[in-house]
Amino acid sequence: MYQRATLPNGLKIICESIPYVHSVSIGIWVGTGSRYEDPKYNGISHLIEHMLFKGTSRRTTKQIAEAIDAVGGQLNAFTTKEYTCYYAKVLGESFHLGMDLLADMFTNSLFAQEEIEKEKLVVLEEIKSFEDSPDELVHDLLAGAVLKEHPLGWPILGTPETMARIDRQIIMEYLLQHYTPDNIVIAAAGNLQIDQIIAEVEKSFSKLKGKFDCQLPPLPLFSPETVLKSKDTEQVHLCLGTRGVNRKHADKYAVFVLDSILGGSVSSRLFQELREERGLVYVTGSNHSAFRDTGIFSIYAGTSLNNYDEVVRLIQQEIKRLYRETVSDLELNRAKEQLKGNLLLSLESTSNRMSRLAKIELYHDQLLTPEESVAKVEAVTAADVLRIAAEMFGAEEPVITAIGPFKK
């Protein structure tokens, strides 16, 4: 099902051939994001992502857009704390065009100074938009509080101050240091064979040079605190969180099950208690984000200022139940079935299959079949959930961050 190749310069290729589908999803993944940035230039990874769509030596911005629209495809990108992805989804017959567009943007972008200055203005508007979305902003506050002054706690978008410092020279230096072939994975899934993609990649990427070398600072000690930000909003948007596990941790499947039980669905404890039973929230849930060396487990709720203390108390009550009471077989099995269904349904998409392969390669994870992943979920016991809950929540109080109409 899966095929791999590595170019002499270290660039990795991974492919899954699915002959019965019409589409092909292709992604160029670079192992860099906001955690690898100089703090003076926080947000540069995301700015570079924008710049790759601003014209090449072969195509203008408009021609790039027209080319993908002409075949009914999709062309986009995103930046995270640990990686940046440029991707295309096209019909199998348009694979060569999709690959050529991505390669052209990746290797021939002009980074014209006037376009950089224009795009910095776009990013500033994006930052303002993010500031106007307290339900998203509160998660950034949480990351900063859980990982105090660590690069993983920095915002992906950067700040107006860091954007002002970035120019073409800074961008080109960052590209030389981080966009190296040994730090790039090209992944594809769909109606194609790996020989097709190897030929295209060799043509465009074989001349890339350099070695990625980035020393990450140690993780800070965890300490609980409450961070409140006053903002004129209708609701209080709040998060409770703590450290989770890294991507390779043996207990990650137990964390997935715990997450599903606590806040991963409409049948979860938080949804049922806070919304269905008490009517205190419209939206609530939990999430676990895993990184190379740690993770963040977060719980979110939006409620009125009058209900804030009660909602926090009830969330803490549910957290304590997780490490004081063994989960029932019925609840455990329901959480497992939900995870298994979500996994298998997500694999109906070639985009999701491509993303899964790329992350496995970027993080040097074990490449499991869907059936093997399901077996890992099935192996989680109630004792595993109780133990990992105690490890994450039993020793320390969680961090609390909130944005709302606080008076002081």
Side-chain angles (χ1 to χ4, degrees), residues 37-57:
E37 298 168 349
D38 184 318
K40 297 194 300 294
Y41 308 120
N42 176 216
I44 190 171
S45 304
H46 174 253
L47 178 61
I48 288 172
E49 174 221 309
H50 277 229
M51 289 306 303
L52 260 66
F53 290 83
K54 302 304 291 182
T56 74
S57 55

Side-chain angles (χ1 to χ4, degrees), residues 110-275:
L110 298 174
F111 295 100
Q113 185 61 46
E114 62 272 20
E115 291 295 337
I116 292 172
E117 294 305 317
K118 190 190 303 179
E119 206 59 28
K120 283 163 67 174
L121 295 176
V122 173
V123 172
L124 290 176
E125 293 302 318
E126 190 175 356
I127 293 171
K128 292 174 186 176
S129 175
F130 190 73
E131 288 282 342
D132 284 340
S133 304
D135 55 329
E136 297 180 18
L137 181 60
V138 72
H139 287 89
D140 261 20
L141 286 183
L142 181 74
V146 171
L147 294 155
K148 296 175 179 62
E149 299 181 7
H150 189 273
L152 272 176
W154 298 345
I156 293 168
L157 301 181
T159 67
E161 293 74 25
T162 57
M163 282 295 107
R165 299 187 189 109
I166 299 172
D167 58 23
R168 190 178 193 277
Q169 180 181 344
I170 298 298
I171 287 175
M172 301 314 289
E173 289 173 358
Y174 186 87
L175 290 169
L176 284 173
Q177 294 169 1
H178 296 80
Y179 276 52
T180 57
D182 61 333
N183 199 33
I184 296 170
V185 171
I186 296 181
N191 194 353
L192 82 166
Q193 298 294 325
I194 194 168
D195 292 345
Q196 295 174 259
I197 193 167
I198 289 175
E200 294 287 341
V201 171
E202 284 180 333
K203 183 170 61 179
S204 301
F205 294 87
S206 59
K207 292 181 181 179
L208 288 180
K209 298 177 181 178
K211 294 287 184 181
F212 180 67
D213 182 22
C214 185
Q215 301 300 316
L216 296 175
L219 293 167
L221 293 174
F222 177 81
S223 60
E225 66 172 325
T226 297
V227 180
L228 303 183
K229 182 172 181 176
S230 184
K231 199 175 184 69
D232 187 16
T233 58
E234 293 296 323
Q235 281 189 310
V236 174
H237 300 267
L238 65 101
C239 277
L240 282 79
T242 189
R243 296 279 177 87
V245 301
N246 65 50
R247 288 187 62 92
K248 294 187 178 182
H249 201 285
D251 285 324
K252 69 179 182 180
Y253 290 95
V255 175
F256 295 160
V257 173
L258 182 153
D259 178 31
S260 179
I261 291 168
L262 182 61
S265 70
V266 292
S267 67
S268 68
R269 293 182 177 185
L270 288 176
F271 193 92
Q272 288 298 311
E273 179 69 15
L274 296 179
R275 175 169 162 162

Side-chain angles (χ1 to χ4, degrees), residues 25 33 42 51 61 72 85 104 141 158 166 198 210 226 235 242 264 314 321 329 337 351 353-354 357 364 366 375 395:
S25 292
N42 176 216
M51 289 306 303
T61 303
C85 171
D104 187 25
L141 286 183
I166 299 172
I198 289 175
T226 297
Q235 281 189 310
T242 189
L314 289 168
R321 278 185 63 205
D329 289 342
E337 289 301 316
S351 298
R353 283 179 177 261
M354 178 272 291
L357 293 181
H364 307 290
Q366 184 182 5

Side-chain angles (χ1 to χ4, degrees), residues 311-324:
V311 168
V312 170
R313 184 188 70 80
L314 289 168
I315 292 173
Q316 290 177 318
Q317 178 179 292
E318 291 300 331
I319 289 171
K320 289 173 183 175
R321 278 185 63 205
L322 281 170
Y323 63 82
R324 290 176 178 173

Side-chain angles (χ1 to χ4, degrees), residues 27-39:
I28 303 176
W29 297 69
V30 189
T32 191
S34 55
R35 81 169 298 178
Y36 297 99
E37 298 168 349
D38 184 318

